[in-house]
Amino acid sequence: KVSSCKLEMSSMFDLEETDITEISAKTGENVEKLIPQVIEQVPAPQGKLDSDFVAILHDCQYLSSPGSVILTVFVKEGTVNTRDSVCLLRSGKTFPVREMGVFLPGLQPTNSLSAGQMGYFILKVKSVEDVIIGDTICMPDSNVEPLQTIPKPKPSIFSGVFPDEDTDFRSMKESLEKLVRYDTSVSMQLDSNQILGQGWNLGFLGTLHREVFAQRLYQEFGTSIIMTPPSITYRAFLRNNEITEFNCAKDMPDSYHVIKWEEPVVETTLIVPGTHLSLVISHCMSCRGNQKENSTLGEGRFLLKYEIPLIETVTDFYSSIKKLSSGYATCDFEDAGYWETDISKVDVVVNGDIVDGLSMIVRSDVVKDVCLRTVKDIAKLMPRELFKIIIQCVVGGKVQARAEVTPVSYSTASHFHL
């Protein structure tokens, strides 16, 4: 197994087998070789102790006491002591350091931090807007340029987030703002829904990122939310030579003004046992996948690479792959740009009124099936009234599917009013 594992690693990561050290933490074999290799191959931090103090803010965490935050910092230059005050460069605010230290792995207070060290500050911060991940920290009145500009990651999927019946809107807003400060890769903007009311449209890097964010919101702040199904960013090439992007049906331009549509694509890399290969390939093909590579890794394992539309992977793609491979397959995604597609906006109409909250973006080749399924599902959930309720799915002014909820009969209605 050791030789096959080394062969697989060298194939996947483009390594020479001689560069892979066989180490066992269980038996202690070759553990003594690890530290010397780390010292030899990992470069030492660069920095001068006698230079002006400069550090980079890597992470932050709010404490239970109001306004207190722990900042995880990397000291690039100079030295800072416990009695010093520090300035967050982007906000321009100065804060006294209440405590500083290092991680061992818990918080271990120290009297100073110097160039090359990773540590923490505890500050008293009044506004969450003052703390920005990637900010430069320096001494007050220090003439220092920002050390680095961290490009903000571009979200790939979006979900609407709304307070449930047990959550206050204002407290939810405060919780979201704090958590977004922790995780700068999340985009946040106000949104409203005809059914769910006022909320926010949040952008995430992927489905796992979305799930972890919702879990952290509940565990760290006790905030329960209603989260809409994930959507993606489409592109529309307009007749006036403009390109517009949208991620929800209400922002989708009229098809009359559009030359072509594009949807995002991801390069999906899978490692699959040979016994489950055919099932995984069939599933990737059913998700409109375009095979780019099919190679063997030895020991009955295969490496597959597919280009698959992102919309096909944001629901149950990963769980389906795990189920088809009995849990043995692994899956990884990378951005692969956009390709052309054909989509339509489906409006749900109830008794002649469009329900904006139920509008959706659907592939044109499956519009009919989606519309039939949608009107049937809504008709089952809709309570009966004293009048007939007509439910329609409309695309471009044409009715694609129709269902009716029959009214309550007179005899039944009179029974309820007795």
Side-chain angles (χ1 to χ4, degrees), residues 59-72 95-99 107 120-128 131 178 182 221:
D59 196 9
C60 70
Q61 181 180 357
Y62 285 83
L63 298 176
S64 56
S65 57
S68 295
V69 295
I70 299 178
L71 306 185
T72 302
F95 305 94
V97 179
R98 301 175 62 186
E99 181 182 313
L107 304 182
Y120 70 89
F121 294 157
I122 296 182
L123 308 180
K124 188 79 171 180
V125 179
K126 292 183 179 180
S127 174
V128 295
V131 180
K178 287 182 178 180
Y182 295 161
F221 301 97

Side-chain angles (χ1 to χ4, degrees), residues 214-284:
Q215 189 174 10
R216 287 187 64 187
L217 194 64
Y218 179 75
Q219 290 180 345
E220 297 180 19
F221 301 97
T223 303
S224 300
I225 59 173
I226 299 173
M227 184 173 281
T228 63
S231 61
I232 63 172
T233 299
Y234 293 94
R235 284 180 181 173
F237 291 76
L238 306 180
R239 297 185 185 276
N240 59 2
N241 296 325
E242 292 183 358
I243 301 175
T244 183
E245 295 185 347
F246 58 94
N247 55 67
C248 58
K250 67 179 181 180
D251 296 330
M252 184 176 179
D254 194 307
S255 59
Y256 174 78
H257 303 290
V258 178
I259 299 175
K260 67 174 181 178
W261 310 96
E262 285 188 348
E263 64 179 337
V265 183
V266 290
E267 183 178 81
T268 307
T269 303
L270 304 105
I271 299 177
V272 187
T275 52
H276 304 89
L277 183 63
S278 59
L279 293 174
V280 173
I281 290 178
S282 298
H283 182 67
C284 291

Side-chain angles (χ1 to χ4, degrees), residues 82 166-167 183 391-392:
T82 51
D166 298 325
T167 303
D183 192 348
I391 305 163
Q392 298 172 315

Side-chain angles (χ1 to χ4, degrees), residues 260-313:
K260 67 174 181 178
W261 310 96
E262 285 188 348
E263 64 179 337
V265 183
V266 290
E267 183 178 81
T268 307
T269 303
L270 304 105
I271 299 177
V272 187
T275 52
H276 304 89
L277 183 63
S278 59
L279 293 174
V280 173
I281 290 178
S282 298
H283 182 67
C284 291
M285 297 300 291
S286 68
C287 293
R288 299 185 288 151
N290 178 27
Q291 190 177 94
K292 307 296 290 185
E293 183 179 343
N294 185 348
S295 57
T296 179
L297 296 175
E299 295 292 327
R301 304 182 75 186
F302 291 83
L303 174 68
L304 301 176
K305 287 190 177 182
Y306 277 87
E307 286 184 346
I308 300 177
L310 178 61
I311 191 63
E312 302 286 350
T313 67

Side-chain angles (χ1 to χ4, degrees), residues 194-222:
Q194 189 175 354
I195 299 173
L196 300 175
Q198 192 76 15
W200 293 268
N201 186 27
L202 303 184
F204 304 97
L205 300 180
T207 53
L208 179 61
H209 187 203
R210 171 179 174 269
E211 293 170 4
V212 170
F213 186 89
Q215 189 174 10
R216 287 187 64 187
L217 194 64
Y218 179 75
Q219 290 180 345
E220 297 180 19
F221 301 97

Side-chain angles (χ1 to χ4, degrees), residues 29-47:
E29 181 183 356
N30 291 333
V31 171
E32 69 278 0
K33 296 181 180 180
L34 180 61
I35 299 300
Q37 288 189 9
V38 171
I39 296 173
E40 180 183 349
Q41 299 182 23
V42 178
Q46 303 295 320

Side-chain angles (χ1 to χ4, degrees), residues 8 120 140 155 159 187 191 211 220 287 300 314 339 343 349 408 415:
E8 185 175 322
Y120 70 89
S159 282
S187 66
D191 193 14
E211 293 170 4
E220 297 180 19
C287 293
V314 299
W339 68 19
I343 55 177
V349 180
V408 179
H415 171 74

